[in-house]
Structure formats: structure tokens, C-alpha cells
Amino acid sequence: MTTEGAPARPAEDTGTPEEEWVRWKGLDRLPALDLEGVREAVVVAPHPDDETLGFGGGLAVLAASGARLRIVAVTDGEASHPGSTVFTQDRLVARRAAERADALAALGAAGSGVERLGLPDGGVGVYEQELARRLADLCVGADLCVAPWEGDPHPDHEAVGRASLHAARTLGIRSVSYPVWTWHWRRPGDTGVPWDRASRLDLSRDVRRRKGAALRAFTTQVAPIGPGEADRAILEPSMLAHFARDHEVVFT
């Protein structure tokens, strides 16, 4: 994840607390997501950690089923800490790639292939058409494409979601989309969210444990990386609470 390009809210608005989502019964009524029979899945992430935040439980479930998994890392997440007093961009890129590897191992998906595309963090939209073509090539042979929801309120997520959907439709393969920023910037019952095509994946205790360990692997995101304001944690506890649930939600 990166906050680069994220939509602004008034300073006093700290986002939607997880308690609001817990109280909303709409998530309880969602149909179950069926992952039975998936042999090969391509999971597309705008930034390192998005695949774990939005679909880490799904990755663990698919890995345990024996499905072949491929991660497409659209950006390297180099813009998460502009002005850091500790990390150069090159060092941050290397660290975030290592964090993803640790996270995949925690999910039981250490054997997943990772394809790094190196598009600019915060500037994916400029390359959307090229990205759609590259994803169509990378998804050949897969029977499931998992990507961020094209309406997730972050420009990189929107562009990656649209490109992934176009690639999946071009190939005629099944696709599901995971929200990330939606839980923070939207609210329960928001009419701009396609709840009518939402499904939920219930997570066992073991899968939740694995996902928790995977999220903690992203140390540059969940904790300060240095003493300066520019070194602050990106994923604060209030944001992480959205991803500690006993289920994940995707749009079909």
C-alpha cells in the first residue's frame, strides 16, 4: 500500500472505524465465495502488501488446495515514504520485496511466482493500456484473476483494477476484485459500492493466524521506519483492523 495519490478527506476525518462495519449486517448476508476447482490463479497487486491485505486469506486457502499461484507486482511501492530520513528509494524497494516474500511464506504460499512490472508508484494510470496487455499475457493458462476493485478509491488501484478486468475479459477467464481503501474511505451501505455482486470468504482460525503473521511481515508499513514524520507507519491500527476479520470480501 501507499498513500501516494489517495483521495483527501478533511483533517478531522480519520476514516470509517471498523466498529461501523462490524455493526452493519450487510456483510453477514453475503453469499460464500467458491474457490473450489481453481487450478491456477494470478493475483495482481498495485503495491507490495495489497495482495495480502485484500486477499491474503484467499491466497492461503488456494495455496493449501494445491493451486498454482502467481503474483503480479505492478509497482515496487517506492513512494510509500517520500522524504524518509532512513530509507533511500532503492533500499525501500528491496526491503518491500523481501517483506512480500516473508508474507507469502507465512501464508503457506512461498512457492508463488512473483512478476515485478516496475511501473511507477502513484502513476500507474498513465500505463493502463500497456498494463492491460501485459496482464493478458501473464494470465494465459490461469483460471482465476484476482485484482483490486476498479472502484477502490486510490488511482493506482482503479487503474490496476480496470486493466485486470480488461485482461480477464479478453481471455474469458473468471475474475474477482478485492477492496482495500474502500473500508477506510467508504461507509456501510454506500451506494457507490457494488454490494449486489459481493461475496465473502470465511477464514478458519489457522488462515486468520497466517494472514496476521503475513501482515506483520510488512514492517516498513505497520511500524515507523525511523524518527521523522516522513518515517511514520502507513498502516495504523485503525486501518489494519479492517483486515483482521474472520472473512474477506470480493466483488465478482
Side-chain angles (χ1 to χ4, degrees), residues 33-151:
L33 175 67
D34 183 10
L35 292 178
E36 285 290 327
V38 175
R39 297 173 293 102
E40 183 171 335
V42 172
V43 181
V44 189
H47 316 100
D49 74 10
D50 283 324
E51 73 288 332
T52 302
L53 288 163
F55 199 67
L59 280 167
V61 169
L62 288 172
S65 76
R68 181 187 180 201
L69 299 174
R70 288 182 283 150
I71 311 298
V72 179
V74 177
T75 81
D76 289 325
E78 69 276 7
S80 71
H81 288 84
S84 171
T85 64
V86 177
F87 277 77
T88 64
Q89 276 200 352
D90 287 348
R91 185 181 171 202
L92 183 61
V93 164
R95 179 70 170 270
R96 296 197 70 180
E99 290 171 351
R100 173 189 276 125
D102 290 343
L104 289 172
L107 294 170
S112 303
V114 177
E115 183 77 22
R116 291 168 59 183
L117 303 186
L119 294 185
D121 186 0
V124 176
V126 175
Y127 301 91
E128 186 175 328
Q129 291 186 343
E130 174 191 339
L131 176 60
R133 290 192 293 269
R134 295 182 74 176
L135 289 174
D137 290 339
L138 290 168
C139 287
V140 170
D143 47 16
L144 178 66
C145 176
V146 183
W149 173 43
E150 66 275 13

